[in-house]
Amino acid sequence: MGLGWCFIGNAASFLFVIASLLLLDGRQLHPVPPVHRAAGQLRAGLRYAAKIPAIARPLLMMAVVGTFTFEFEVSLPLLARDTFHGTNTTYSWLIGALGAGAVVGGLYAARTQRTGLRRLTWAAAGYAVAVGLVAAAPTLPAAVAACAITGAASVVFLTAGNSTIQLAADPSYRGRVTALWSLALVGSTPIGSPIIGAVSQVSSPRWALALGAVACCVAAVIGYQALPPRSKAAPNDVKSVSAAS
């Protein structure tokens, strides 16, 4: 049908998002007083986030993972073409499996009632294993299966981090903290994409994916080091709120 129809289908999918927003029952929302614009709010938000481990650590973890791991738009096309000597269809299988796994991961995350730094740390460790499986997959079917696991792990990591920082933030700072989270997720892409592309060109896409797995391990260590001694051995995650994720 041509590439143009893919963009049209993507645009049409936003109609469901708009419909969902319009159908929200505003009476069940709990608005907080807006923070009026003033000088120094950005600096105040940065200082506030830096002094709370439940916010600072997830932001740092997201920055590391966002830079080196969430670059599948770069690594997976090269994996399909250079490693498995495939076509556009090969790439569609890989990215499709990633999306299918993300749906499963989203359903799992929606059912859980706990979040926190400990859960985020374990999510980062599981994400590292999943991406490592993609990097080491010997065949295309194995890579597709590993991509499905990776998609699920990525959503669990994102949901755990997002809900953790929102629940840890004071309502007056929640908007700025969430903006920092988005910056760590999306703003790291321009930094990581050239690095992942260069690693793929110099060595192979497998090594680029392996770099992403190592980044998840680093993120897990960052989170683990901030855990109190007791929480490293026993769960102490806080109750999650579905709206926060």
Side-chain angles (χ1 to χ4, degrees):
M1 297 178 64
L3 293 176
W5 285 102
C6 297
F7 287 94
I8 292 176
N10 190 22
S13 70
F14 284 88
L15 296 176
F16 295 94
V17 180
I18 295 172
S20 299
L21 294 174
L22 293 177
L23 292 174
L24 283 176
D25 186 357
R27 295 172 298 179
Q28 298 187 27
L29 300 178
H30 303 281
V32 297
V35 178
H36 298 288
R37 182 173 298 180
Q41 285 181 321
L42 177 58
R43 293 190 298 272
L46 291 171
R47 288 193 298 268
Y48 175 81
K51 69 181 182 182
I52 300 179
I55 297 176
R57 292 286 176 152
L59 288 176
L60 182 57
M61 294 166 70
M62 184 68 259
V64 173
V65 173
T67 301
F68 299 104
T69 310
F70 277 103
E71 303 293 349
F72 298 113
E73 293 85 354
V74 177
S75 57
L76 289 186
L78 297 175
L79 185 73
R81 186 192 68 184
D82 299 340
T83 302
F84 295 115
H85 308 288
T87 62
N88 295 343
T89 303
T90 308
Y91 170 62
S92 69
W93 275 104
L94 295 172
I95 200 70
L98 196 74
V103 172
V104 176
L107 294 174
Y108 168 77
R111 291 176 60 87
T112 186
Q113 295 184 353
R114 291 187 177 276
T115 187
L117 189 55
R118 180 179 183 275
R119 182 176 180 83
L120 180 61
T121 299
W122 284 108
Y127 197 12
V129 173
V131 178
L133 290 175
V134 180
T139 63
L140 178 60
V144 170
C147 279
I149 300 173
T150 300
S154 68
V155 171
V156 172
F157 175 81
L158 285 174
T159 304
N162 193 7
S163 57
T164 296
I165 64 167
Q166 289 195 46
L167 292 172
D170 183 87
S172 61
Y173 284 94
R174 188 169 294 143
R176 280 169 281 183
V177 168
T178 306
L180 291 174
W181 174 263
S182 299
L183 177 63
L185 172 61
V186 181
S188 58
T189 299
I191 301 173
S193 293
I195 297 175
I196 296 301
V199 172
S200 299
Q201 183 177 12
V202 172
S203 54
S204 74
R206 291 188 184 276
W207 285 107
L209 288 164
L211 178 60
V214 171
C216 290
C217 291
V218 172
V221 172
I222 293 172
Y224 184 81
Q225 289 178 338
L227 294 177
R230 291 181 58 187
S231 68
K232 295 179 180 180
N236 74 329
D237 294 345
V238 298
K239 285 285 185 177
S240 175
V241 178
S242 59
S245 60

